């Protein structure tokens, strides 16, 4: 999923993410019109700018948060497997330049302004504040693993500091680790995670690691000897470009925590100031914060706000590491009641076992207060 990025004005109509716009282009055969600004970082931003130009839509600006210095530092991570993506990216940049599309690097402090919809954007480049008229602001700050399914399944997650995101903690063949206590598990964890839900790598890496995971599953069922050397090498080759991309396109829009007036939880319209105030009043873990504020209880189930809430909690409590996520709860996506009513094959005993830890213990008879005389 795209990295959620709260910034002033991000909830205005006319502010969209790059993947949403790309979906409308590909699936809806729709193209935007008016004054279009793209802001953020990552190869997808450059790809989308080229796709828009191919559709006859010339962006007013491509504002990148990454800098030339990032690319220079990233060069030491470049491997032969990364040369093809590098050449492709340089081609996108060249075509945009030939088309006369204005581009800047080092963009900071992005904000969208308007009443009923976005009307202009402001940002800082090289220490100077600039404002541009805008009808559509497209933002993209990189891709992070979608952890909602592993989290709801009770798998252990780990914080990835450089990428400011969580990802499932797995073995090289994708085997996850359960967070459930032994008395609530029937045996060792057998769930495996593969593809971008485990580690961002793209389609080729997902297919290569999928083969490794499949071979490991077959070995666990006494069919085969486990992941082959060729399959493991294919994963390494497919992921060889990742260190370069991570260094060349670090998180930019999400680098700084939002100010108090910026909305963090879109579903409940909670600002960063609302969350900071609750943290300072004593709600110092993620589930307590959610229970008090409803942050993460809306239709997105925390996908848009959870990382920012955790970073705010870490910042306010001066914690050494980022706190764990909200406890995952079904439904992972909103579904109609009729779909739930028609479910079959669900063992109600499993549901009871997995929710016992959330229920208050019954008071024993010897602890019940006697009635006052």
């Amino acid at each position: 999923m795209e990295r959620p990025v709260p910034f002033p004005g991000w909830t205005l109509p006319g502010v969209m993410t790059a993947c949403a716009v790309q979906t409308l282009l590909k699936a809806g055969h729709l193209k935007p019109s008016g004054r279009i600004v793209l802001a953020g970082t990552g190869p997808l931003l450059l790809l989308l700018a080229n796709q828009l130009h191919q559709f006859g839509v010339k962006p007013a600006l491509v504002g990148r948060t990454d800098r030339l210095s990032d690319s220079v530092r990233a060069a030491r991570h470049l491997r032969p497997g990364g040369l093809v993506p590098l050449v492709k990216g340089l081609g996108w940049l060249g075509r945009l330049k030939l088309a006369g599309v204005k581009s800047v690097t080092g963009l900071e402090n992005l904000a969208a302004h308007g009443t009923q919809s976005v009307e202009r954007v402001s940002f800082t480049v090289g220490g100077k504040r600039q404002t541009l008229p805008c009808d559509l602001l497209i933002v993209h700050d990189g891709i992070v693993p979608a952890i909602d399914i592993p989290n709801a399944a009770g798998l252990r997650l780990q914080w990835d500091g450089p990428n400011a995101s969580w990802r499932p903690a797995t073995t090289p063949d994708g085997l996850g680790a359960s967070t459930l206590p032994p008395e609530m598990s029937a045996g060792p964890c057998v769930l495996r995670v593969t593809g971008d839900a485990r580690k961002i790598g793209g389609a080729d890496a997902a297919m290569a690691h999928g083969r490794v995971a499949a071979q490991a599953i077959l070995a666990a069922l006494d069919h085969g000897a486990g992941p082959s050397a060729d399959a493991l090498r294919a994963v390494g080759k497919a992921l060889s470009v990742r260190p370069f991309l991570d260094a060349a396109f670090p998180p930019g829009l999400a680098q700084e925590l939002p100010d108090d007036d910026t909305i963090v939880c879109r579903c409940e319209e909670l600002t960063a100031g609302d969350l900071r105030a609750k943290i300072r009043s004593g709600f110092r873990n993620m589930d307590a914060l959610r229970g008090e504020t409803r942050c993460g209880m809306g239709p997105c189930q925390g996908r848009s706000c959870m990382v920012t809430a955790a970073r705010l909690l870490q910042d306010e409590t001066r914690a050494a590491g980022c706190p764990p996520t909200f406890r995952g709860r079904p439904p992972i996506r909103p579904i109609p009641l009729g779909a739930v009513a028609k479910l079959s094959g669900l063992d109600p005993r499993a549901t009871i076992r997995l929710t016992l830890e959330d229920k208050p213990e019954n008071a024993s008879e010897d602890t019940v207060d006697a009635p006052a005389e």
Side-chain angles (χ1 to χ4, degrees):
M1 59 175 281
E2 286 185 271
R3 184 192 312 281
V5 185
F7 60 88
W10 74 307
T11 59
L12 279 172
V15 180
M16 299 180 66
T17 61
C19 286
V21 174
Q22 198 174 54
T23 298
L24 291 177
L25 285 174
K26 291 182 175 180
H29 301 288
L30 300 174
K31 66 178 183 179
S33 60
R35 299 160 298 190
I36 301 170
V37 175
L38 294 92
T41 190
L44 179 59
L45 196 75
L46 302 177
L47 171 62
L48 180 58
N50 274 270
Q51 290 174 332
L52 289 172
H53 181 255
Q54 290 172 359
F55 274 94
V57 179
K58 182 179 178 180
L61 175 72
V62 177
R64 293 163 47 195
T65 58
D66 55 279
R67 295 173 168 83
L68 177 61
S69 57
D70 294 318
S71 298
V72 172
R73 284 192 295 268
R76 63 190 178 91
H77 298 292
L78 197 57
R79 301 292 182 270
L83 292 178
V84 172
L86 176 62
V87 171
K88 187 181 296 185
L90 291 174
W92 293 336
L93 287 171
R95 282 193 289 272
L96 290 174
K97 188 173 182 63
L98 287 174
V101 176
K102 183 180 178 181
S103 179
V104 297
T105 59
L107 181 143
E108 299 175 316
N109 303 318
L110 178 69
H113 311 275
T115 51
Q116 300 300 315
S117 63
V118 62
E119 299 170 0
R120 61 193 184 281
V121 296
S122 63
F123 51 87
T124 302
V125 173
K128 296 182 179 180
R129 195 71 181 164
Q130 302 182 34
T131 302
L132 284 179
C134 177
D135 301 305
L136 174 63
L137 173 59
I138 304 173
V139 296
H140 179 73
D141 201 37
I143 302 290
V144 297
I147 59 165
D148 41 9
I149 294 178
N151 190 28
L155 296 184
R156 184 178 300 130
L157 304 173
Q158 61 187 32
W159 179 252
D160 185 351
N163 288 308
S165 61
W166 290 285
R167 58 186 178 91
T170 70
T171 59
D173 59 12
L175 181 63
S178 176
T179 59
L180 295 175
E183 63 270 17
M184 296 182 67
S185 301
C189 181
V190 296
L191 296 178
R192 279 179 163 81
V193 185
T194 189
D196 283 349
R198 172 181 174 267
K199 187 175 183 181
I200 302 299
D204 291 339
M207 289 186 288
H209 190 264
R211 295 186 185 96
V212 169
Q215 291 172 0
I217 292 171
L218 288 171
L221 298 173
D222 296 327
H223 295 284
S228 65
D230 288 343
L232 292 171
R233 277 195 296 269
V235 172
K237 181 179 179 181
L239 289 174
S240 62
V241 71
R242 200 67 238 173
F244 169 77
L245 293 177
D246 290 342
F249 303 104
L253 297 176
Q255 187 173 17
E256 299 295 330
L257 288 173
D259 58 33
D260 283 349
D261 294 331
T262 300
I263 289 179
V264 171
C265 178
R266 302 175 64 121
C267 303
E268 301 294 332
E269 297 187 350
L270 296 168
T271 65
D274 295 330
L275 297 179
R276 286 188 175 105
K278 290 299 181 182
I279 294 169
R280 291 166 186 167
S281 69
F283 294 90
R284 301 208 161 197
N285 71 68
M286 289 289 281
D287 287 327
L289 189 63
R290 175 172 64 175
E292 172 67 12
T293 64
R294 290 190 55 81
C295 178
M297 286 189 177
C300 87
Q301 289 291 284
R303 283 182 289 275
S304 294
C305 60
M306 185 162 56
V307 167
T308 306
R311 292 179 62 204
L312 288 171
L313 184 58
Q314 179 188 16
D315 182 65
E316 289 295 321
T317 59
R318 304 293 188 267
C322 197
T325 65
F326 298 133
R327 181 180 300 166
R329 296 185 183 279
I332 296 171
R333 298 288 192 280
I335 56 175
L337 183 59
V340 178
K342 294 176 183 178
L343 284 175
S344 61
L346 178 67
D347 184 355
R349 294 172 299 176
T351 305
I352 293 171
R353 288 180 63 198
L354 296 180
T355 56
L356 276 177
E357 64 179 82
D358 299 332
K359 310 235 180 254
E361 294 182 3
N362 292 326
S364 59
E365 291 184 0
D366 57 351
T367 60
V368 177
D369 293 335
E373 295 181 356

